């Protein structure tokens, strides 16, 4: 599985967009990018995933560069409840769900 | 909404005890997983199961076993608990191939 690199921590002002970067320079052609987050004392929560096109859902947008070596998760209007650790994971689509979680980015949304 | 429940939020056991952690999902998912989460080490996969009575070792299976007699239930067993198994244990399930896993709230196990 391709390795991902994320900043250890980030701050964001409430109401502003939070842009969380992820590098995955060794990603292969059939590997997807997944994002999960974990709010303190809860289990991780799936956010979004994509292969090469940009994706958007009710929670976030995922921007994947053309060479697929990096991606950015965007929370358009961050709230205090978005404070969490965000994990970027690269994995095969049909690997049966075996996910490898790295250290993630600790996002602090401040008033 | 998918619901994954775990039998306890907090559990305290003594060294050498046999410990059962239960996980139940209500969405008829084929795949179920057990992870442990420790500070600085992130989430690590212990065991997973693709179907009833099927199991696969994850990255750190030593000291653990699992049981899946029914599709909705996946149990993690610590045959003889040790202090280095003090951790947060997370169960997850997945019904599709695209790796969207749904996690339970976790069980914080302390072994004294």
């Amino acid at each position: 599985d391709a390795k991902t690199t994320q900043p250890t921590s980030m701050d964001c002002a409430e109401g502003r967009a939070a842009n969380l970067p992820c590098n995955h320079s060794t990603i292969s052609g059939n590997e997807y990018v997944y994002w999960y987050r974990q709010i303190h004392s809860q289990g991780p929560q799936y956010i979004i995933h994509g292969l090469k096109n940009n994706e958007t859902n009710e929670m976030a947008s995922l921007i994947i560069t053309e060479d697929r070596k990096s991606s950015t998760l965007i929370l358009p209007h961050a709230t205090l409840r978005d404070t969490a650790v965000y994990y970027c994971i690269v994995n095969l689509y049909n690997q049966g769900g075996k996910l490898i979680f790295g250290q993630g980015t600790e996002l602090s949304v401040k008033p | 909404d998918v619901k994954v429940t775990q039998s306890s939020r907090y559990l305290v056991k003594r060294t050498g005890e046999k410990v059962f952690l239960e996980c139940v999902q209500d969405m008829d998912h084929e795949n179920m997983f057990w992870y442990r989460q420790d500070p600085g080490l992130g989430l690590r996969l212990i065991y997973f199961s693709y179907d009833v009575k099927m199991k696969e070792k994850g990255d750190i299976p030593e000291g653990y076993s699992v049981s899946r007699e029914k599709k909705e239930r996946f149990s993690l067993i610590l045959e003889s608990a040790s202090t280095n198994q003090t951790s947060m244990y997370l169960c997850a399930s997945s019904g599709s191939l695209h790796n969207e896993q749904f996690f339970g709230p976790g069980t914080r196990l302390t072994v004294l």
Side-chain angles (χ1 to χ4, degrees):
Chain A
D1 296 322
K3 182 179 169 57
T4 62
T5 305
Q6 299 177 252
T8 303
S9 62
M10 291 181 64
D11 290 340
C12 178
E14 187 178 19
R16 304 296 294 268
N19 298 286
L20 292 92
C22 180
N23 287 320
H24 31 78
S25 58
T26 60
I27 192 170
S28 62
N30 58 352
E31 287 182 312
Y32 284 66
V33 180
Y34 294 82
W35 283 85
Y36 281 72
R37 74 179 182 183
Q38 187 174 22
I39 295 169
H40 183 62
S41 297
Q42 298 182 22
Q45 176 190 25
Y46 165 82
I47 302 173
I48 198 168
H49 75 280
L51 182 62
K52 47 187 167 182
N53 298 323
N54 297 338
E55 302 287 343
T56 295
N57 64 19
E58 65 278 4
M59 289 182 69
S61 294
L62 174 61
I63 309 298
I64 303 174
T65 58
E66 196 168 338
D67 63 7
R68 301 207 326 120
K69 292 185 177 182
S70 66
S71 60
T72 301
L73 179 75
I74 301 172
L75 308 178
H77 305 287
T79 70
L80 300 179
R81 288 175 295 179
D82 292 321
T83 292
V85 178
Y86 287 77
Y87 296 98
C88 169
I89 300 164
V90 168
N91 208 353
L92 294 173
Y93 188 80
N94 61 348
Q95 202 175 22
K98 182 179 175 181
L99 299 174
I100 298 175
F101 287 79
Q103 297 304 309
T105 295
E106 187 166 4
L107 174 70
S108 296
V109 181
K110 300 182 184 299
Chain B
D1 283 347
V2 174
K3 194 164 184 184
V4 179
T5 57
Q6 296 183 227
S7 49
S8 307
R9 288 301 308 269
Y10 300 93
L11 204 55
V12 180
K13 295 292 182 180
R14 296 205 173 275
T15 302
E17 280 193 81
K18 190 169 186 175
V19 182
F20 293 86
L21 302 182
E22 305 285 339
C23 175
V24 177
Q25 50 94 1
D26 65 358
M27 284 300 291
D28 202 36
H29 283 171
E30 292 82 13
N31 309 314
M32 296 188 75
F33 310 84
W34 275 107
Y35 297 85
R36 64 177 284 177
Q37 185 171 28
D38 302 286
L41 297 176
L43 276 84
R44 293 178 291 167
L45 182 64
I46 304 171
Y47 267 98
F48 59 106
S49 168
Y50 290 128
D51 202 349
V52 175
K53 295 193 186 295
M54 295 186 69
K55 59 186 179 184
E56 297 274 349
K57 291 181 180 179
D59 299 318
I60 50 163
E62 297 78 20
Y64 303 94
S65 62
V66 290
S67 172
R68 188 145 183 225
E69 297 296 319
K70 294 185 178 181
K71 193 173 186 180
E72 68 270 19
R73 187 180 299 269
F74 192 36
S75 302
L76 180 70
I77 302 152
L78 288 65
E79 294 290 341
S80 177
S82 63
T83 54
N84 63 11
Q85 292 178 309
T86 290
S87 185
M88 169 69 86
Y89 289 88
L90 289 155
C91 174
S93 74
S94 152
S96 67
L97 293 178
H98 74 60
N99 296 331
E100 179 181 348
Q101 293 187 18
F102 296 88
F103 283 81
T107 295
R108 186 166 295 281
L109 173 67
T110 301
V111 182
L112 302 175

